[in-house]
């Protein structure tokens, strides 16, 4: 099955700086790549996603890039704010039936 | 949040007892999923359903069974709970269309097996 690796596992940035989280996947058939944000004690929430026919997608301060050849995708958060502090998960799916998740990145934004 | 509820939200049970967790949705989505979340492992798929009475195994299905007799309900059963099944369990739903297969999560159930 698919294997998704996520780095780094923890990330600390100063408020206003950018944060980048990277994921790699193994199955070249994967074609849908969502990112989730999970605050402490809460459910994961979808924040952005990208499909394999697109190289980049942006939504305000959040962007995701996809490199199909290298089988990796990244989450970029610009102008970070303390409320961006959370655990972020990447995932990969090729059928929409099964989603394979990375192990998460704990982001801390220091005021 | 999408209309997904889970019950119970917290449960403590003893090793060897059966446990059933319930996921209920009001979105009429076709796909439903059960995940477990453990530190260092992220979210791992236990079972999923692609329609009423249609289910399949995920990557960590041993020790778990599921049933879906109605579109809105997806049950997860631990036939004989073990301490290794102490975890937070999340239900999720999705409706795969030509433009989307976004997945939405329920609030979670914290299960402790003593």
């Amino acid at each position: 099955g698919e294997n998704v690796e996520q780095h780094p596992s923890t990330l600390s940035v100063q408020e206003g700086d950018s944060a980048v989280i990277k994921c790699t996947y193994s199955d070249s058939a994967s074609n849908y790549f969502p990112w989730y944000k999970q605050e402490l004690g809460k459910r994961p929430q979808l924040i952005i996603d990208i499909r394999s026919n697109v190289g980049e997608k942006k939504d305000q301060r959040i962007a995701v890039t996809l490199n199909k050849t290298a089988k990796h995708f990244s989450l970029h958060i610009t102008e970070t704010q303390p409320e961006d502090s959370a655990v972020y998960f990447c995932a990969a799916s090729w059928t929409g039936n099964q989603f394979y998740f990375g192990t998460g990145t704990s982001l801390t934004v220091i005021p | 949040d999408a209309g997904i509820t889970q019950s119970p939200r917290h449960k403590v049970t003893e090793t060897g007892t059966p446990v059933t967790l319930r996921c209920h949705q009001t979105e009429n989505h076709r796909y439903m999923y059960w995940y477990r979340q453990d530190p260092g492992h992220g979210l791992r798929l236990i079972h999923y359903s692609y329609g009423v009475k249609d289910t399949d195994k995920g990557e960590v299905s041993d020790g778990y069974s599921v049933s879906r007799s109605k579109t809105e309900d997806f049950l997860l059963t631990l036939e004989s709970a073990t301490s290794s099944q102490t975890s937070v369990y999340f239900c999720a739903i999705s409706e795969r269309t030509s433009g989307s297969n976004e997945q939405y999560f329920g609030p979670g159930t914290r299960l402790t097996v003593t």
Side-chain angles (χ1 to χ4, degrees):
Chain A
E2 174 66 279
N3 181 47
V4 177
E5 295 189 356
Q6 183 172 346
H7 299 282
S9 57
T10 60
L11 179 60
S12 292
V13 299
Q14 291 290 137
E15 182 177 358
D17 287 351
S18 296
V20 180
I21 303 170
K22 298 181 179 181
C23 288
T24 61
Y25 61 99
S26 60
D27 191 340
S28 57
S30 289
N31 60 5
Y32 175 66
F33 307 92
W35 285 89
Y36 293 85
K37 175 183 180 182
Q38 186 178 27
E39 297 176 346
L40 189 63
K42 301 289 183 63
R43 73 187 80 189
Q45 299 260 10
L46 178 69
I47 57 172
I48 195 168
D49 57 12
I50 192 168
R51 301 180 189 284
S52 58
N53 59 348
V54 175
E56 183 174 359
K57 184 177 179 181
K58 189 173 182 179
D59 182 4
Q60 299 182 9
R61 296 186 296 107
I62 294 173
V64 58
T65 59
L66 171 65
N67 184 325
K68 286 174 55 180
T69 302
K71 294 207 279 288
H72 67 70
F73 56 111
S74 300
L75 178 71
H76 303 254
I77 306 174
T78 59
E79 302 173 14
T80 54
Q81 301 167 4
E83 51 265 40
D84 294 329
S85 296
V87 178
Y88 292 81
F89 291 97
C90 63
S93 171
W94 67 274
T95 66
N97 291 353
Q98 292 208 42
F99 290 75
Y100 296 88
F101 284 79
T103 51
T105 296
S106 178
L107 173 66
T108 301
V109 180
I110 304 165
Chain B
D1 293 327
I4 314 167
T5 57
Q6 292 183 229
S7 58
R9 295 292 314 279
H10 302 271
K11 186 170 182 66
V12 180
T13 192
E14 293 184 349
T15 298
T17 59
V19 177
T20 295
L21 309 182
R22 180 183 183 235
C23 178
H24 179 77
Q25 60 144 332
T26 58
E27 305 296 322
N28 201 35
H29 281 9
R30 178 182 175 190
Y31 297 92
M32 298 186 76
Y33 310 79
W34 276 109
Y35 292 90
R36 60 178 290 172
Q37 185 173 38
D38 305 288
H41 291 277
L43 290 148
R44 292 181 292 174
L45 182 66
I46 305 171
H47 283 279
Y48 67 98
S49 170
Y50 46 95
V52 174
K53 297 192 190 304
D54 292 323
T55 65
D56 205 351
K57 297 179 179 180
E59 57 183 313
V60 291
S61 59
D62 288 348
Y64 302 95
S65 62
V66 291
S67 66
R68 191 169 178 200
S69 58
K70 297 185 291 185
T71 298
E72 57 266 35
D73 289 326
F74 193 32
L75 304 180
L76 176 70
T77 297
L78 290 64
E79 302 290 347
S80 178
T82 67
S83 58
S84 64
Q85 293 176 312
T86 291
S87 186
V88 178
Y89 292 85
F90 285 100
C91 172
I93 64 173
S94 72
E95 185 59 64
R96 187 156 55 97
T97 66
S98 59
S100 170
N101 46 357
E102 297 176 6
Q103 191 174 73
Y104 300 96
F105 286 83
T109 294
R110 183 173 295 278
L111 176 67
T112 302
V113 183
T114 60

